[in-house]
Amino acid sequence: MTAHRHAPGAWSPILAVLMVATLLLASCAPAAAPAPPQAPAAQAPAAQQPPAATATPAGPKRGGSIVWALYNEAGEYDPHTLAQQMYLWELGGNSLLKLDRDTGKPVGDLVERWEQKDNLTFVFYLRKGVKFHNTAPVNGREFNADDVVYSMARLRSPGAKFPRRSYFDSVKSIEKVDDSTVKLTLSEPFGPLLVYLAFPFIKMVPKEVVDKYNGLDRPETTIGTGPFLFKEYTKDVGGSMVRNPNYFRPGLPYLDEVRFQVITDDATRTSAARTGRVDIAQRMPVSAYKSIQQTNPNVLADTEAVPWTAQLIMRHDRKPWSDIRVRKAINLAVDRQEIVSGAHEGAGFITGAIPSGQVAWAALDYEKDLKNLPGYRQPKDQDIAEAKKLMTEAGFPDGFDTTISMTDYSAFLNRRPAEVLVTQLGKIGIRAKPKVMEQGAYLNSERTGDFDLIVRAVGAVVEPDEYIWLTLHSTGSRNYGKYVDKDLDKLLEAARSTYDIAE
């Protein structure tokens, strides 16, 4: 959890940053944990064709199904507008590129190879023979350049509904050269381009489906090029996807079916994992794994730090948050260590604006750089005293009433930190009344700026730009706090325009 200063007198409205760990419980052997992601090369080489999947005596065998316990109901189903994990499209769709699991660098997915002609021009050569699912209205037709042009235009649609449009602010045009070739032209050099094209939310979708359903807001609109076909889904209950026999990667997938069960209650999900009623249970409390191990040692856990942060956002353009003294007071009042211990059961760590486990060159280390700073230091007595003084100077000696919006769609990152913050803010007179919201209403509130304080999760993979541009640039598509700092804008613009990682 951190407050970070960008320029003299300009404090960010994003005060809370926590790195959290996720716990995946599985009753089958887990995959190997990936190596920590590294920053992508300045100019990524052409992608290599992955080898065909072949079963070996010691390797995977065809057939069977798994049951995946979901920790929440998605609430939204459109990959281009989703604010959190998208279980159906993760299995049902593909992006142009993907990030290599071991190196974090972009490699081809729907793209076979690409060429960077210069700093402004990229040519992508699509993988031939890729087909959409054999489902109406596309009925298994071949994926082509028109789908890329359409999908990219949709992703860049104006309005708060499309939270990742800032990924492609520097894209000048996307043109079809022929059915299997697309040319992308930039208005200025844009370092994060290839990484953003590899993000899982940047799925290629067929126009016919969007037109037929007037959007992709229903589970049955999961009609992509991915390894699994949509079969059924009931909100708050679950559903299933089945093997796509026409998937473009030979031999994959191995499974015949993936079944989902929505189990939002931690205790119930823990019981399901303990008794083997589910094969995978995601985002389990650390205490749950310890209790399961006592009764079922065959359950394995894959625990890894993930670059998701819990952030406290305020409307920088509204009183009292427009007063820098109030923002500084909140920064001092927040006890980051207490949030790690209380909201995350210790399964997280304090970090700077960009998680230190993501890209070392951009990180602030807690022990070396942060722990003695105001707001981070322990014990909190000095911070609280200074915060109260600032509140008095700002004209709030007795504090004030406000609300703090929270939801359960990611309890580790939304509701639990918010609940701890209520007590912490109360110590300096800020009486934050919890406003627990249904997920859809919460997301709409965030996107429209209809909140006083809001706790939300922000994550990235290997691209720091996703944290700082989207949330802190004055035009960022996730700058819901309406933060404006022209000096910071210039720095972020300069960072975006270079392909040199060291620079």
Side-chain angles (χ1 to χ4, degrees):
M1 207 173 213
T2 182
H4 45 288
R5 188 170 182 170
H6 304 292
W11 281 68
S12 165
I14 298 180
L15 291 177
V17 178
L18 289 171
M19 189 74 166
V20 301
T22 183
L23 187 65
L24 183 82
L25 297 180
S27 57
C28 52
Q38 303 296 319
Q43 295 187 17
Q48 298 180 350
Q49 173 72 33
T54 55
T56 64
K61 295 181 179 180
R62 165 94 50 233
S65 65
I66 62 169
V67 180
W68 183 354
L70 307 183
Y71 67 95
N72 75 336
E73 168 56 51
E76 295 181 314
Y77 307 99
D78 187 334
H80 294 169
T81 65
L82 273 165
Q84 74 283 349
Q85 283 186 286
M86 44 175 188
Y87 308 106
L88 300 180
W89 274 97
E90 282 177 357
L91 300 180
N94 296 89
S95 302
L96 293 178
L97 307 178
K98 63 180 181 178
L99 297 176
D100 182 87
R101 182 171 173 84
D102 295 319
T103 67
K105 295 180 180 180
V107 296
D109 195 7
L110 291 175
V111 165
E112 188 173 57
R113 62 185 180 90
W114 67 87
E115 297 174 357
Q116 183 175 345
K117 299 293 187 180
D118 51 46
N119 281 346
L120 300 178
T121 309
F122 292 76
V123 178
F124 297 94
Y125 300 92
L126 306 183
R127 197 179 302 281
K128 296 181 180 179
V130 175
K131 295 181 179 181
F132 282 108
H133 296 162
N134 191 16
T135 305
V138 288
N139 299 315
R141 73 162 174 83
E142 192 161 335
F143 167 76
N144 60 59
D146 290 323
D147 299 306
V148 178
V149 173
Y150 172 76
S151 297
M152 293 300 297
R154 187 172 189 268
L155 279 157
R156 298 167 65 207
S157 299
K161 182 178 179 181
F162 293 89
R164 297 170 187 84
R165 64 183 185 280
S166 290
Y167 286 5
F168 307 110
D169 284 345
S170 299
V171 174
K172 181 179 179 181
S173 64
I174 304 169
E175 305 169 82
K176 173 183 176 180
V177 177
D178 55 43
D179 281 348
S180 59
T181 310
V182 175
K183 184 173 78 170
L184 188 151
T185 305
L186 301 172
S187 58
E188 58 188 353
F190 183 47
L193 175 65
L194 296 177
V195 174
Y196 279 155
L197 288 174
F199 273 20
F201 293 97
I202 312 303
K203 300 296 185 189
M204 296 296 105
V205 303
K207 184 177 185 297
E208 301 99 307
V209 176
V210 178
D211 289 345
K212 176 180 178 180
Y213 292 97
N214 192 30
L216 299 174
D217 297 321
R218 297 158 61 177
E220 58 267 32
T221 60
T222 309
I223 303 174
T225 56
F228 288 90
L229 303 167
F230 175 82
K231 181 180 179 181
E232 60 185 355
Y233 195 88
T234 301
K235 185 177 180 180
D236 296 320
V237 177
S240 65
M241 299 188 76
V242 296
R243 183 176 185 271
N244 176 12
N246 300 315
Y247 187 48
F248 61 88
R249 297 188 185 280
L252 293 179
Y254 292 113
L255 287 170
D256 291 331
E257 183 180 32
V258 176
R259 287 180 283 153
F260 300 107
Q261 287 186 14
V262 179
I263 308 177
T264 58
D265 179 70
D266 288 343
T268 306
R269 204 161 64 256
T270 299
S271 175
R274 177 189 293 113
T275 59
R277 289 189 290 113
V278 300
D279 298 295
I280 297 175
Q282 192 179 18
R283 293 202 181 180
M284 304 295 293
V286 174
S287 56
Y289 174 61
K290 294 178 180 178
S291 68
I292 290 175
Q293 280 282 283
Q294 294 175 358
T295 56
N296 190 348
N298 294 322
V299 176
L300 304 177
D302 179 6
T303 309
E304 59 183 11
V306 294
W308 282 85
T309 61
Q311 300 182 339
L312 173 64
I313 315 295
M314 62 205 71
R315 284 295 301 268
H316 190 270
D317 57 338
R318 294 178 183 172
K319 294 181 179 180
W321 320 117
S322 56
D323 192 317
I324 189 173
R325 293 166 296 188
V326 173
R327 300 199 301 276
K328 285 184 175 181
I330 294 176
N331 169 56
L332 290 167
V334 171
D335 188 334
R336 293 145 175 86
Q337 188 58 58
E338 185 178 60
I339 292 179
V340 170
S341 302
H344 302 295
E345 296 185 343
F349 60 90
I350 300 169
T351 182
I354 300 170
S356 55
Q358 187 185 36
V359 278
W361 54 266
L364 290 173
D365 178 74
Y366 175 70
E367 290 295 328
K368 183 176 68 174
D369 304 311
L370 298 175
K371 74 175 184 178
N372 295 318
L373 293 180
Y376 293 85
R377 58 197 176 193
Q378 294 284 344
K380 294 292 291 181
D381 297 349
Q382 182 180 350
D383 281 347
I384 296 298
E386 292 181 9
K388 289 179 178 179
K389 182 180 178 181
L390 285 166
M391 290 287 286
T392 298
E393 292 175 358
F396 301 104
D398 299 319
F400 55 82
D401 296 314
T402 188
T403 61
I404 182 167
S405 301
M406 59 185 80
T407 185
D408 275 327
Y409 89 74
S410 181
F412 283 106
L413 291 159
N414 295 95
R415 183 163 181 170
R416 293 176 189 174
E419 290 171 340
V420 178
L421 282 165
V422 168
T423 301
Q424 295 180 357
L425 297 178
K427 293 179 180 180
I428 61 170
I430 298 179
R431 297 174 291 276
K433 181 180 179 181
K435 186 177 181 181
V436 182
M437 307 177 72
E438 181 272 330
Q439 181 179 333
Y442 171 91
L443 294 172
N444 184 65
S445 173
E446 177 187 58
R447 291 167 182 171
T448 59
D450 183 20
F451 59 85
D452 293 322
L453 294 171
I454 194 168
V455 176
R456 66 108 180 267
V458 172
V461 184
V462 296
E463 182 46 67
D465 181 82
E466 186 176 16
Y467 286 105
I468 53 181
W469 181 286
L470 267 67
T471 59
L472 292 176
H473 191 279
S474 58
T475 66
S477 55
R478 300 190 76 177
N479 183 359
Y480 302 129
K482 305 298 181 184
Y483 180 65
V484 177
D485 180 341
K486 294 302 181 183
D487 291 331
L488 176 62
D489 281 356
K490 292 177 182 178
L491 289 171
L492 298 182
E493 289 158 9
R496 267 193 163 191
S497 64
T498 180
Y499 294 100
D500 187 293
I501 294 299
E503 183 181 352

